[in-house]
Amino acid sequence: MLKIEKLAGIDIGSNAIRLLVSNIITQKNSTEPSFKKSALVRVPIRLGADSFLKGFISEENKGRMIKAMEAFKLLMDVHGVTNYYACATSAMRDASNGQEVIEDILDKTGVKINIIDGKKEAAIIFSTDLSTIIEKDKSYLYVDVGGGSTEITIFSNGKIINSKSFKIGTVRLLNKEKSFKHVWENMEVWIKSNTLNLKRVSMIGSGGNINKLFKLSGKPLGKPLSYIYVKSQFHFLKKMTYDERISELDLNPDRADVIIPATKIYLNAMKWSGAKKIYVPKVGLADGIIKSLYNNQL
């Protein structure tokens, strides 16, 4: 007999807020469950535009967050979700009123939000199922690019070697008045020193922007993108105007601007690690939340 459990993960990022509802199906006489996505809702609330420029979450965006959490709570009820975990990342970490905002949301909606640090964020993302990509005897650089931060995990022979969160992300990089030279330099040194003794490193990329690049490539799921392809796409996207990226490539307005800084981060990580290809498993923080929730790791 089948056992079906419904869990939900809420990812409150710097560029958008997501609700993922999944069915966890366990077959009779089986110890390994399968995770099937049931619903994914993305709301384009760019908290990073508040947090990284003003230092706090505005009343307008707080109001939008409250409405989003009310809607997510109703959707979880309709789906019959038995348990959920909501986490907020870089934008809420940096906001001076982040704690106040999540307390207000809890009071008004009953949805509890946890502000997590970069290390925990990386661990949750890494908990997703990568078995279809990873070969036990090889080395990988896992790069998750968000709106406010980039989480990097290095693993070799099936084990994590090191991980680090960098305060550089797509929404942050849109702020042309601020220099990120020191962050780029720190990231370069860290990647080069941690991959120095590893042979033939491949990269794994996660985040909405690399997923979109992968979709534009037309490649079948599981096949990697080459460094040359990613570099050519970067130059192609840069030549287009913001409006052209929306009308000709069918990008969402809140994707059309951040896709360029995101591609730059992936390209640099590939260059500094010597990776010639990047795998795109199309998993992210929300997937990791559900996996970690099921395994009682949250």
Side-chain angles (χ1 to χ4, degrees):
M1 188 177 170
L2 286 178
K3 182 192 169 191
I4 302 173
E5 189 178 354
K6 288 207 174 208
L7 299 177
I10 297 173
D11 167 14
I12 298 166
S14 304
N15 194 44
I17 296 174
R18 296 171 186 82
L19 165 69
L20 174 65
V21 177
S22 285
N23 295 321
I24 294 86
I25 303 162
T26 311
Q27 302 262 10
K28 191 182 177 183
N29 303 323
S30 173
T31 53
E32 283 297 312
S34 61
F35 292 74
K36 303 284 184 189
K37 290 182 185 182
S38 179
L40 176 64
V41 180
R42 180 183 183 275
V43 185
I45 302 175
R46 187 169 279 184
L47 298 176
D50 281 346
S51 186
F52 309 143
L53 293 175
K54 303 171 192 169
F56 61 90
I57 304 299
S58 65
E59 281 299 313
E60 182 191 353
N61 270 341
K62 186 174 88 168
R64 293 177 74 203
M65 282 180 77
I66 289 168
K67 287 177 182 176
M69 291 308 118
E70 286 172 339
F72 285 4
K73 191 178 181 187
L74 287 170
L75 283 168
M76 288 191 289
D77 287 345
V78 170
H79 277 278
V81 168
T82 55
N83 199 6
Y84 78 93
Y85 186 86
C87 64
T89 55
S90 193
M92 292 292 279
R93 282 199 293 267
D94 285 15
S96 59
N97 62 341
Q99 195 60 40
E100 180 193 317
V101 168
I102 64 167
E103 285 170 10
D104 209 9
I105 288 170
L106 178 62
D107 184 51
K108 288 185 167 64
T109 70
V111 175
K112 186 189 176 193
I113 297 167
N114 305 274
I115 298 177
I116 61 170
D117 61 27
K119 212 155 184 69
K120 185 167 184 179
E121 184 180 352
I124 293 172
I125 293 163
F126 189 74
S127 72
T128 53
D129 184 22
L130 299 171
S131 59
T132 55
I133 289 172
I134 292 172
E135 293 179 47
K136 293 282 188 207
D137 58 342
K138 291 192 176 176
S139 302
Y140 297 88
L141 188 74
Y142 190 128
V143 180
D144 179 79
V145 177
S149 64
T150 295
E151 320 306 327
I152 302 181
T153 304
I154 296 171
F155 54 105
S156 185
N157 299 320
K159 292 179 183 176
I160 295 178
I161 305 295
N162 209 345
S163 68
K164 192 172 173 67
S165 177
F166 293 90
K167 257 192 175 181
I168 197 165
T170 59
V171 179
R172 268 191 215 275
L173 287 170
L174 291 178
N175 181 7
K176 301 298 180 190
E177 292 173 21
K178 191 175 177 186
S179 170
F180 293 92
K181 188 171 179 281
H182 66 293
V183 190
W184 283 120
E185 288 170 352
N186 289 344
M187 190 189 284
E188 180 179 1
V189 169
W190 190 88
I191 290 174
K192 283 182 174 177
S193 62
N194 280 279
T195 57
L196 187 64
N197 298 317
L198 302 177
K199 290 178 183 176
R200 289 197 308 168
V201 175
S202 290
M203 207 162 105
I204 297 171
S206 63
N209 292 289
I210 195 69
N211 288 346
K212 182 55 74 173
L213 278 179
F214 186 81
K215 189 178 178 182
L216 289 171
S217 76
K219 286 212 170 197
L221 198 62
K223 295 290 182 185
L225 301 177
S226 68
Y227 174 79
I228 293 166
Y229 174 81
V230 178
K231 192 174 182 179
S232 68
Q233 281 296 97
F234 177 63
H235 293 300
F236 171 67
L237 290 164
K238 274 186 81 176
K239 282 178 184 173
M240 299 179 89
T241 64
Y242 172 75
D243 289 351
E244 285 170 342
R245 290 193 289 272
I246 294 170
S247 60
E248 294 180 30
L249 298 179
D250 200 27
L251 299 185
N252 288 331
D254 66 322
R255 176 73 64 214
D257 54 355
V258 293
I259 196 165
I260 291 173
T263 309
K264 185 178 179 180
I265 295 172
Y266 290 116
L267 262 181
N268 280 336
M270 291 182 85
K271 183 170 73 177
W272 296 331
S273 64
K276 296 285 187 286
K277 53 191 175 184
I278 179 169
Y279 291 90
V280 186
K282 299 189 93 169
V283 293
L285 186 62
D287 301 88
I289 291 170
I290 286 173
K291 200 81 181 280
S292 300
L293 197 58
Y294 179 80
N295 292 320
N296 296 313
Q297 291 169 336
L298 291 173

